[in-house]
Every structure is written in C-alpha cells, then in structure tokens.
Amino acid sequence: MKGSLLVMGAAIAVSLATVPGQGSVSAAQTQETVPTFSKHVAPILYRSCVTCHRAGEVAPMSLISYEDVRPWAKSIKQKVVNRQMPPWLADPHFSDLKFQNDRSLTQKEIDTVVAWADGGAPKGRDADMPPAPQFGAGWKFGEPDYIVKMPAAYELPAEGQIDYLSFYIPVPFDHDVFVEKIEMKPSNKAVVHHETGWAVTLRDDIKLVDGKPYSLDGKPLEKNEVRPKGTSVFESQGMSKLICYVPGRGYEEHRPGTAKRIPAGKNQYIQFDVHYQPSGKAEQDQSEIGLWFSKVPVTHEVITEMVGGGAEGTRIVEGREPPSEMVTVNGVSRRRTKIPNIPPYAENWAITAVTPIPEAITLYGLSPHMHLRGKDMKYTVIYPDGRQHQILSVPKYDFNWQLYYDLEQPLRIPAGSKIVAAGHYDNSTKNRYNPAPEKEVFWSEQSWDEMYEPYIEYSIDNQDLTRKTTTSRQQQ
C-alpha cells in the first residue's frame, strides 16, 4: 500500500509544475464549455474518492474542497485516465453481474475530469457546490453495541520486516451472538497494510500474554500449534472469518435476516491477524472490532469459505491435480493435497480451485486473496446442466488493493453446481513487485511467500435458524 501511495505522490509532484493556470482559458469558454469543480467534478470525487482522500485516512491528500483538489488536477487526470484511481480491479466486461460497492468511474465521468483539468480546472459557482460528505469521527454505523480491542498496543520498530502477527482475545459472551454489521479499525492506519478478524477455538493448555499464545511452561506458540488436537489453522479458517480491513474497506453490513455468528463457550476466541508495515519511525497500533448485534430474527448464517477448501474441494496446478501426502497436525495424521512451490522465473504459473455445491446456496460476494506474485483470478459457476456463468474477473491483481466484490443482487446457485476459481502467478522479472524472481516461492502467510485464497461469502438456502435445525453443510 505504502509503495503505491509513494508512486502516486511522485507522479503528483511532477504534475504540480504542469497544471495550467485558470487564465489559460477565457472566461467565456469556461462558462460555456469547460466543466467546473463545484458542478461537475466534486460529485464524482465525493462518490468514488473521498472515502480514502480525506483527513485522517491513508491517502496522501484530501480531495474535499476546491483548494484541496486544485493543485493536483493534472495528476488526478492521469490517474483516472489510466484507471489507477479509484481502485477497482474487476473487469466490467467479463460478467453480467453488478457490484453495489463498485467505485470505478464511468467513461463519461473520466471525460469530465479530463475536460476540467485540460480546461484550467475552474472552480465554478459556490451555489453549485454539493454538500460535502459527512463522515463520523468514530465508527461507520455509529457507536457499536460492543467493541473488541487488542489486549495491548503493539509497538512497531521504525524499520525492518515484521512477520504476520496473531493476537487472541477470549469471546466475551456467554451465548452465541449474531452480528448484522461489523467493522475492523486500526488505531494507526499508517502502519496497517491489512488485517483480519476470526472466531476460533484454541487448546485448553495455553496462556495468553498481551494476546500472544504461550504454552503453560512459557514457550511461545505458532498459529498452527494453538488449535485443538486434530485441527489445523488452514483447514478450520473459512466459516470462522468475521471481517477484513484494507484501506478503503473494513466494514460489512449483511442483508436483513442474515448475519455472522460469533460462537461462545469454552476456549472460544476472537483472533486478530495483522500485517504491519514500518513507517520509518517507531509507532504503535491497537486495533479493534466493532459489533452491531442483529435486531431482527436471523434466518441465515453468512459463511465465508475458500473455493477449493474443505474436504470436498480440489485444486489443479499447471493442468494437473497435485499428489496428496500424509501430514500430522496436532498429533493426528491425515491426507492432504500437496501444492508445489512456484518455480523461479515462472511467468504465468496456473492454479485452479473447485468447490462442489451439494445444496443450494445464495452468493453475496467474492474476495480474491494472493500476495506479491499474484497476477489474476477469475470466478466461474458451472451449473448442473453444464452452463458456465462468469461472475468475476480480476485481470490485474494488486496486493495493495485487496477488494471485496459485493454483489448488487445476490446470486442463487442450485445444488449440483460447482464454483471454479482460476488464477495465475508471475514470479518473473516482469513483475515489478517481485522481491526475488530467482527463488522458488513457498506457501505461507508472509507477504514474500504466497497464498491462494479465492474467498466467497454465502448462505445455505434451506437453513432457517429460527427453526433451530441444522443442515448437512453446517454439520460439516
């Protein structure tokens, strides 16, 4: 994230000397042909840009007032023409589905910004200025019903690489709760690249010190060592995912009658996974999660799952299904597919994940997750009759913008269908983000390693929690 902002800042700095003065266009021309900030440009920025481009957010400048925007006119033009800003990575021509959080600009909006910048970037009449968007000083949906905070502030060094960190907080409820709205918020957005909140189960024989897990004899424990016997962090994540924060996104509002569950009981915890990035000076962060409990009866639990995960999912690498291997997880042996490492200099290394749909579901959204070598990802539904429905394509994946694609209209997917997610990695010198093309790439959580996590968010159609019944997929 920081790298892309610096690149943008550099481009903006160059543009400062090239913005034409308002005197370069006659007053008559301005009034008759040139768009103005107040009447034409401000509405575009307010809809698509100021979520990040305002005081206190991660963007390097505010775009609220004319005085804020005027010095950056030429750079804004360059960024919108190249479709670098606002960040929206979905190919609009791939699918017939619309996304309700699509913040990309239409061609007409791009043409308006270009004409305004080329025409001297005039302000226009104050009377034409729309009301500035109002952002609460605290939470997206007002004061939460409950706030879960990291148990202690994490102290970041000024420089160096920080491993992906996990912190745990006991679930503070004596019964399962359902949340219709949820927000994850760093206390210091400048140092958080992204972070995720989970509902998880931990072993009996651990203790927590400032949220970090230790054995009873004081040994620090890794994430794959804290789960109950016979379970694995990689196999249990999915349905337990609550929320993810990245710049410009960190909250979810579920549709009426649907909600995320936070299980209560012994050894139930809320887990913070945080990817920190040093800022050049010593800083600290103490992130928190705001919860808004469901105010209406919940009929359907919202589930987040990876395509290709679980017992029934499969993965295909470079056109072949990889061999499986016996692995021991917390003392229990089981067979698991072994995904090969990405070879050095591989330019278009392919992986495909497939999840069968044994019972009808309703799909709400999708969230591709890869790291620095991630190149592209596509999601397709294959229906029982063989028809293929293309639902999302991200042709130029960017680790700096890990977006959630929220369907405008939920998609019903019948039993017997399959969801397929196909992606590629670029471990070559052509990838400007690649830290080491000469090395093979391992699968792990650190950003210099790789992950392939094509997330989907859905509910099971025949579930009705008000009937207190359990479907077969829930039991799994």
Side-chain angles (χ1 to χ4, degrees):
M1 176 64 201
K2 179 181 292 184
S4 62
L5 292 179
L6 291 174
V7 170
M8 180 178 179
I12 288 171
V14 171
S15 74
L16 285 174
T18 62
V19 179
Q22 294 191 47
S24 61
V25 178
S26 71
Q29 275 186 301
T30 299
Q31 292 176 0
E32 295 177 8
T33 63
V34 178
T36 66
F37 175 81
S38 56
K39 187 173 184 178
H40 304 97
V41 176
I44 297 173
L45 301 181
Y46 289 179
R47 180 185 75 84
S48 297
C49 305
V50 299
T51 298
C52 294
H53 284 273
R54 56 190 171 93
E57 288 296 328
V58 296
M61 82 289 288
S62 172
L63 298 180
I64 298 289
S65 70
Y66 177 73
E67 290 72 24
D68 291 335
V69 175
R70 178 63 179 83
W72 312 108
K74 287 297 182 183
S75 184
I76 292 171
K77 167 192 166 183
Q78 175 189 355
K79 293 296 180 181
V80 301
V81 167
N82 294 337
R83 293 192 178 273
Q84 293 175 268
M85 291 285 167
W88 184 256
L89 306 180
D91 181 351
H93 308 296
F94 180 80
S95 175
D96 60 349
L97 301 179
K98 304 298 182 184
F99 300 95
Q100 64 180 4
N101 61 332
D102 183 353
R103 54 189 169 191
S104 62
L105 303 189
T106 65
Q107 189 58 52
K108 181 179 179 181
E109 289 173 323
I110 293 173
D111 293 343
T112 297
V113 173
V114 170
W116 172 73
D118 288 346
K123 179 179 181 181
R125 301 189 311 152
D126 289 342
D128 292 333
M129 191 73 182
Q134 298 300 308
F135 297 97
W139 299 87
K140 168 71 174 177
F141 307 110
E143 190 63 20
D145 295 322
Y146 198 94
I147 297 173
V148 180
K149 182 178 288 190
M150 283 171 47
Y154 179 73
E155 304 288 341
L156 283 82
E159 299 176 344
Q161 186 72 49
I162 301 175
D163 286 348
Y164 201 64
L165 299 174
S166 297
F167 305 90
Y168 301 88
I169 300 94
V171 169
F173 312 116
D174 60 5
H175 61 282
D176 290 7
V177 299
F178 287 89
V179 292
E180 62 184 10
K181 301 172 186 175
I182 184 169
E183 180 176 356
M184 192 170 201
K185 188 170 67 170
S187 67
N188 187 348
K189 294 180 179 179
V191 298
V192 177
H193 181 277
H194 71 279
E195 58 185 359
T196 307
W198 307 86
V200 299
T201 305
L202 300 189
R203 287 165 30 186
D204 288 322
D205 56 339
I206 66 168
K207 61 181 180 180
L208 297 177
V209 178
D210 290 339
K212 301 292 290 180
Y214 292 81
S215 64
L216 297 182
D217 60 4
K219 173 192 172 186
L221 298 175
E222 299 295 331
K223 184 187 291 187
N224 62 356
E225 298 177 304
V226 301
R227 298 305 175 95
K229 184 177 181 179
T231 64
S232 162
V233 60
F234 298 108
E235 294 166 347
S236 58
Q237 285 187 353
M239 294 185 186
S240 64
K241 186 177 182 181
L242 297 175
I243 186 66
C244 181
Y245 164 84
V246 294
R249 165 198 159 201
Y251 55 85
E252 288 187 10
E253 181 176 8
H254 300 293
R255 290 167 169 84
T258 69
K260 281 284 181 78
R261 181 200 300 262
I262 300 178
K266 184 179 179 182
N267 301 332
Q268 298 299 317
Y269 292 81
I270 293 176
Q271 173 182 325
F272 286 72
D273 283 348
V274 192
H275 178 184
Y276 285 119
Q277 52 185 13
S279 65
K281 62 180 180 178
E283 300 202 54
Q284 64 175 221
D285 170 71
Q286 190 172 9
S287 295
E288 52 191 357
I289 296 176
L291 306 174
W292 289 261
F293 303 136
S294 296
K295 306 301 190 294
V296 300
V298 176
T299 57
H300 293 80
E301 178 179 355
V302 177
I303 298 168
T304 304
E305 185 175 323
M306 283 186 290
V307 178
E312 302 302 322
T314 58
R315 297 196 176 194
I316 300 168
V317 177
E318 291 286 271
R320 298 183 297 275
E321 188 170 348
S324 59
E325 62 177 351
M326 292 300 298
V327 295
T328 300
V329 181
N330 290 340
V332 176
S333 295
R334 63 182 64 192
R335 185 166 294 279
R336 187 170 65 185
T337 300
K338 178 177 174 57
I339 305 298
N341 297 329
I342 303 175
Y345 301 110
E347 186 177 332
N348 204 42
W349 196 84
I351 182 170
T352 299
V354 182
T355 286
I357 306 300
E359 49 193 330
I361 66 171
T362 296
L363 182 70
Y364 301 113
L366 312 99
S367 181
H369 179 74
M370 309 162 91
H371 286 174
L372 296 171
R373 280 85 165 186
K375 184 177 182 180
D376 59 62
M377 193 183 295
K378 294 179 181 179
Y379 290 78
T380 303
V381 175
I382 302 178
Y383 293 110
D385 61 4
R387 289 182 301 117
Q388 296 192 15
H389 189 182
Q390 298 173 326
I391 54 178
L392 174 67
S393 173
V394 177
K396 295 181 180 180
Y397 180 83
D398 188 340
F399 181 55
N400 296 301
W401 298 108
Q402 299 178 44
L403 305 180
Y404 175 71
Y405 299 90
D406 191 4
L407 291 173
E408 188 173 272
Q409 297 296 327
L411 178 66
R412 297 284 301 277
I413 301 179
S417 302
K418 296 179 181 178
I419 298 180
V420 179
H424 294 87
Y425 293 85
D426 185 356
N427 192 29
S428 74
T429 56
K430 295 180 180 179
N431 179 357
R432 65 188 179 120
Y433 297 115
N434 192 349
E438 74 282 1
K439 296 181 179 180
E440 67 175 338
V441 184
F442 297 90
W443 300 97
S444 186
E445 292 182 319
Q446 306 303 329
S447 57
W448 54 86
D449 296 319
E450 265 305 336
M451 300 183 84
Y452 186 67
E453 296 186 341
Y455 282 110
I456 57 174
E457 196 161 80
Y458 68 95
S459 63
I460 300 166
D461 288 0
N462 66 1
Q463 178 190 60
D464 185 347
L465 294 175
T466 62
R467 296 200 311 258
K468 299 187 184 301
T469 57
T470 303
T471 69
S472 60
R473 196 169 179 84
Q474 281 180 284
Q475 290 170 337
Q476 293 173 6

